[in-house]
Amino acid sequence: MHLLWALFILQFLASIPGFVSARSDMVFTVPQVRLTTTFNDFNARIMDHWGGGGGHWAKIPKDTEHPFQGRDYGGAKRYEIRGTRAFGSGYPYGAGNLSTVARRSFPFGVWPLYWDQNFRDADEYGSQYDAIRPGGFIASVPLRTTTEHFNVTDDEVYYAVGDRESLLPLMVSYVTWCHVTPAWPTRFNASAANATIKLENVIQYFRASSFALASKAYNNTFARTGDSGSKESTPLPEYMEYSPFRKCVDHVAENALAIVNKIPSSTPLDKFESALIGGGIFICGAMIFLLIWISTILLNLRDDFQNWLYGNPRDLDRNR
């Protein structure tokens, strides 16, 4: 009986996407970013690509020496992910002082990018914290396509800037939906003299300014003026404004970028997987019970048949 249970459990686990078995050399999973805020246990919030976000926000515990302990994070919804061209935009809550990004909450789970010259006090989230930044260090990746799929020129190239773990799965979506030429992210240093992208090149911020789309062909002369609530910006060049390719990469970022999900109500497994497990255990248990019941009946029938055929051994002893 124990062997039957063991075989059932192994078979069931092997059928779950993401479970690695000897029969497979690949892992099929939903792309996620783990958001660790404490070392007191293994619990963590999860940032899901294509997820809807929402739920209640949480607070980074004050007893773990986290550099941003006590700040609220999470709770923002997918439809709130778009910002503007102003750094520090895109906060559903927790923006506070619009002249600085310091001391802000993290509605989507990730803190903002940082730019050169401590722009809007962004050094608070600088490279000194890359080791604990949700999704890892900031990276950039070029987004280019071919005339086979879009009417573009060779210089219509965009750049995605954000944490590494968000960029990698996002590239799968870019390649799939926008026919982006595959490219691997590289570490991004906004303070370097030869930085790939400058603050003025950003054409759109997302996810509370923790992710950006940019183009070297665009120069926003208002990028360092006003505050994060400013709507004033240099218009995009006409070819860029109406470019189907730009719109495609923009829409993919809006819909696929990883954001922190709701706090699970009771179990890390979703309801569908929970139902599968519960149903599988019930069916397996019922089958084992049925097998035992049938075996018992068959054994009793065998004994009765033997008694009928050969007589009861006790009766034979009495006759002797």
Side-chain angles (χ1 to χ4, degrees), residues 31-185:
Q32 295 178 328
V33 177
R34 185 178 175 87
L35 188 58
T36 300
T37 58
T38 179
F39 299 129
N40 293 331
D41 51 48
F42 289 106
N43 296 328
R45 295 288 291 275
I46 300 298
M47 296 175 59
D48 281 321
H49 286 262
W50 299 93
H56 297 290
W57 61 77
K59 194 176 290 290
I60 298 176
K62 292 185 177 181
D63 58 350
T64 59
E65 300 301 321
H66 193 285
F68 305 125
Q69 58 184 348
R71 298 197 194 183
D72 296 328
Y73 69 96
K77 298 178 180 177
R78 172 68 59 181
Y79 68 81
E80 299 172 307
I81 200 171
R82 292 186 71 86
T84 63
R85 291 174 194 144
F87 179 59
S89 63
Y91 280 75
Y93 71 85
N97 185 352
L98 297 182
S99 65
T100 178
V101 294
R103 298 174 296 280
R104 290 191 180 186
S105 301
F106 312 127
F108 297 96
V110 188
W111 50 78
L113 303 172
Y114 54 89
W115 294 103
D116 60 318
Q117 301 175 26
N118 192 23
F119 183 67
R120 291 191 180 142
D121 304 314
D123 279 2
E124 179 173 287
Y125 314 102
S127 59
Q128 70 273 22
Y129 293 130
D130 274 355
I132 63 171
R133 173 181 285 270
F137 59 80
I138 296 176
S140 66
V141 63
L143 307 176
R144 52 172 57 91
T145 188
T146 62
T147 55
E148 179 183 355
H149 302 288
F150 292 97
N151 183 20
V152 294
T153 59
D154 291 340
D155 60 348
E156 188 174 349
V157 180
Y158 302 98
Y159 290 83
V161 183
D163 61 278
R164 186 183 72 95
E165 291 302 311
S166 290
L167 282 176
L168 286 171
L170 198 62
M171 276 300 292
V172 177
S173 297
Y174 279 141
V175 171
T176 302
W177 298 103
C178 301
H179 305 287
V180 166
T181 303
W184 292 95

